[in-house]
Amino acid sequence: MGRTPCCERKGLKKGPWGPEEDEILINYINKHGHGSWRSLPKLAGLRRCGKSCRLRWTNYLRPDIKRGPFTLDEEKLVIQLHAILGNRWAAIASQLPGRTDNEIKNLWNTHLKKRLLCMGVDPMTHEPFTSGGPTTRPRSSPATRHMAQWESARLEAEARLSKGSLFFNSPPTSVKPDPDFFLRLWNSEVGESFRILNGEAKTDCRSPISQASSSTKCGSVSGVTIDVGPIAAGSSTPKSSRTEDPIMFDASFSSCSNESEDSSDTALQLLLDFPINNDMSFLEDVDTYAKPPQC
DNA sequence: AAGATGCACAACCGCATTGTG
DNA sequence: ACACAATGCGGTTGTGCATCT
């Protein structure tokens, strides 16, 4: 019995949305909320499937969408978060207010990936390519070095995590670290310290977003205002990796046990090892690296 | 000026996960 | 505990626009 395709019904429109459809969708959601996406198109009078409506709303019509080009800081953040989280676009997007996973995915695939490649950094592993790699850029460039530093720190933390699965109360069989840990770390006071340090090192490393509003997600994360997350609460399950959860970190995390203290120290070290002085100047130097070796 | 090519972005598809009866 | 429906997510594709030849 296969799954029935969501748009299998005849008469459902596909392809680009027209302005009148947008208007219908916006009006309907403003008035009633989206409720069940499945039934929304029928109720709103749209000849679209619910999935298409949801996508259109979340990626394009939502009022809080921030349009326009990514700022340098946003790009930096995306790269840093990608190093931590991998292709978990939704999780990355949750750290960039007003940006959608789709948008970030596109940014990554069209710009950042290429740029890293040109720098001699493997966009998937964030490791520098060894000689013979697809780049001609010297291996010891600062950006490359920092990526390598970060990667090794990340690996170290992963190793520690798998070793210390007790920290998360996860079953011994669970060797795979929860990538959300890194996100929580990023959002924790440890991460805040890291950002502050970087902020001191550079005149102002806050993104324009957080400059504009201290209550952005980026800003709010620095408020280690405690929201006991599932991990911190010791109830981590695989399902907890869902990214809709507000990702806040329990400050008591660092004091739950000796082991966790140790983890916290390592975590701090991990973050401090990340590109010192937030040196991602290669991003600013787009022209220098924009053109691939044949790049 | 016209066709070819590349790029950016919106949208779709299918699988995974979660919710519910 | 199970089956099914609903939703979320990531990968991929299609299309329109800009630039190049």
Side-chain angles (χ1 to χ4, degrees):
Chain A
M1 57 175 262
R3 167 187 301 262
T4 53
C6 91
C7 299
E8 91 285 18
R9 278 162 293 169
K10 281 246 156 90
L12 287 189
K13 198 176 163 203
K14 286 170 74 174
W17 280 63
E20 62 294 330
E21 288 179 303
D22 285 345
E23 200 183 330
I24 292 173
L25 185 57
I26 291 169
N27 288 339
Y28 181 86
I29 291 180
N30 284 341
K31 210 176 280 181
H32 305 97
H34 61 73
S36 158
W37 286 113
R38 181 92 165 180
S39 53
L40 183 147
K42 199 188 284 179
L43 296 171
L46 283 163
R47 287 169 49 210
R48 294 273 182 175
C49 70
K51 206 170 181 175
S52 180
C53 293
R54 180 175 59 81
L55 231 42
R56 183 64 179 170
W57 175 257
T58 55
N59 286 340
Y60 200 81
L61 299 176
R62 242 172 43 198
D64 56 330
I65 295 258
K66 180 179 168 189
R67 308 213 67 82
F70 278 75
T71 65
L72 197 60
D73 289 306
E74 284 177 311
E75 293 188 355
K76 287 176 186 172
L77 191 53
V78 169
I79 291 175
Q80 290 168 356
L81 288 168
H82 186 273
I84 300 169
L85 298 164
N87 292 1
R88 299 179 59 212
W89 308 117
I92 294 173
S94 71
Q95 303 303 302
L96 286 130
R99 300 297 190 182
T100 69
D101 54 351
N102 209 29
E103 209 175 359
I104 290 170
K105 187 166 60 181
N106 283 332
L107 172 77
W108 181 263
N109 288 329
T110 57
H111 291 117
L112 301 183
K113 200 158 92 175
K114 289 173 191 167
R115 213 174 292 168
L116 289 180
L117 278 171
C118 294
M119 295 162 37
V121 175
D122 183 340
M124 295 321 290
T125 63
H126 291 255
E127 268 183 78
F129 287 117
T130 51
S131 59
T135 181
T136 55
R137 192 172 166 75
R139 212 197 135 156
S140 58
S141 74
T144 304
R145 235 179 17 242
H146 290 149
M147 287 299 181
Q149 281 179 345
W150 172 244
E151 178 63 14
S152 71
R154 190 175 70 87
L155 290 171
E156 179 192 326
E158 280 188 8
R160 181 170 287 275
L161 272 173
S162 17
K163 182 180 80 181
S165 51
L166 55 129
F167 172 59
F168 292 121
N169 275 345
S170 27
T173 51
S174 156
V175 215
K176 190 182 171 193
D178 176 3
D180 278 353
F181 167 72
F182 297 107
L183 194 48
R184 289 190 167 83
L185 199 57
W186 181 263
N187 286 341
S188 70
E189 58 187 357
V190 177
E192 186 192 12
S193 310
F194 161 72
R195 287 187 290 273
I196 288 171
L197 279 176
N198 277 315
E200 285 169 355
K202 232 179 177 179
T203 47
D204 187 2
C205 77
R206 286 201 305 158
S207 75
I209 311 167
S210 47
Q211 286 169 354
S213 161
S214 61
S215 64
T216 61
K217 286 183 187 170
C218 254
S220 67
V221 296
S222 64
V224 186
T225 24
I226 318 302
D227 176 354
V228 180
I231 284 182
S235 61
S236 168
T237 68
K239 290 179 180 183
S240 72
S241 68
R242 277 285 185 188
T243 54
E244 297 81 64
D245 305 334
I247 299 167
M248 300 295 283
F249 201 80
D250 183 359
S252 66
F253 139 74
S254 59
S255 59
C256 9
S257 72
N258 289 341
E259 176 67 18
S260 58
E261 271 179 25
D262 188 18
S263 296
S264 179
D265 288 346
T266 306
L268 179 58
Q269 191 54 51
L270 181 156
L271 285 164
L272 292 176
D273 275 350
F274 185 76
I276 308 298
N277 298 335
N278 202 17
D279 179 5
M280 287 205 176
S281 50
F282 61 92
L283 279 173
E284 297 164 44
D285 210 4
V286 174
D287 290 342
T288 314
Y289 305 118
K291 306 221 187 310
Q294 173 352 336
C295 193

